[in-house]
């Protein structure tokens, strides 16, 4: 019963949002199209402004993967990771996810292709991706778009959150899929 209700809600939520927000704006006499264009202009300016930050992140990720450092670290930490219930093949995903969503998706796709969609490791990878965030990307985009260069406690809070999400992904996956 609950699953059916959730399916209905998920089916109609986005179309309702797309209809309700413009109707509400029209009701409030907001010039919808002009406001949308103004926001698009601002978004484009922000996009151009953050390009150097994005290029830096992507180059760093490429260098890290190409150097073989991730594979070396996975091999070195394999005994510890296996004891806590995390396959060592997921360490690259756990490292890359805070840096790049597309890089993490590439690693997850590789894991799913290698092990199959129903494999435990693939399910754990999906949970990891779903419950973690691209910390450095988000900090770069949001702080860079408004000119903040000192992240202060935001970086520490985000990294602690990423660590906690990986720990809980391991716990939940071992409970739900083992």
């Amino acid at each position: 019963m609950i699953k059916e209700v959730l399916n209905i809600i998920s089916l109609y939520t986005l179309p309702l949002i797309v209809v309700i927000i413009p109707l509400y704006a029209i009701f409030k006499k907001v010039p919808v199209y002009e406001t949308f264009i103004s926001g698009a202009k601002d978004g484009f300016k922000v996009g151009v402004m953050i390009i150097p930050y994005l290029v830096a992140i992507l180059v760093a990720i490429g260098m890290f993967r190409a150097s073989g450092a991730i594979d070396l670290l996975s091999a070195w930490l394999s005994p510890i990771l296996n004891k806590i219930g995390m396959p060592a093949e997921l360490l690259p995903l756990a490292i890359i996810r805070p840096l790049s969503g597309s890089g993490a998706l590439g690693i997850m796709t590789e894991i799913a292709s290698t092990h199959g969609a129903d494999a435990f490791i693939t399910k754990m990878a999906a949970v990891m991706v779903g419950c973690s965030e691209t910390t450095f990307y988000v900090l770069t985009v949001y702080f860079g778009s408004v000119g903040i260069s000192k992240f202060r406690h935001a970086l520490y809070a985000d990294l602690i959150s990423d660590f906690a999400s990986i720990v809980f992904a391991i716990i939940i996956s071992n409970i739900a899929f083992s």
Side-chain angles (χ1 to χ4, degrees), residues 9-49:
I9 290 171
S10 67
L11 182 64
Y12 292 108
T13 300
L14 189 57
L16 283 174
I17 289 172
V18 169
V19 170
I20 290 172
I21 290 176
L23 287 177
Y24 180 75
I26 290 169
F27 176 74
K28 288 293 199 174
K29 301 192 185 323
V30 174
V32 177
Y33 184 73
E34 292 80 7
T35 304
F36 177 76
I37 296 300
S38 173
K41 283 181 186 176
D42 292 343
F44 184 76
K45 288 177 189 174
V46 169
V48 169
M49 193 168 56

Side-chain angles (χ1 to χ4, degrees), residues 51-145:
I51 286 174
Y53 299 103
L54 296 176
V55 169
I57 287 173
L58 293 174
V59 167
I61 291 168
M63 289 172 36
F64 193 54
R65 286 193 80 188
S67 71
I70 292 178
D71 297 329
L72 184 65
L73 191 60
S74 293
W76 185 62
L77 292 175
S78 179
I80 297 167
L81 295 174
N82 288 332
K83 285 184 182 178
I84 63 169
M86 177 179 166
E89 296 94 331
L90 292 180
L91 185 63
L93 178 63
I95 292 171
I96 293 296
R97 179 65 177 156
L99 300 170
S100 166
S102 59
L105 184 59
I107 292 172
M108 189 178 139
T109 303
E110 186 178 307
I111 290 168
S113 296
T114 304
H115 300 281
D118 289 332
F120 172 75
I121 189 171
T122 304
K123 291 177 182 178
M124 185 180 283
V127 173
M128 282 184 178
V129 169
C131 69
S132 59
E133 183 57 80
T134 53
T135 297
F136 292 99
Y137 175 81
V138 169
L139 288 176
T140 300
V141 170
Y142 293 146
F143 283 76
S145 68

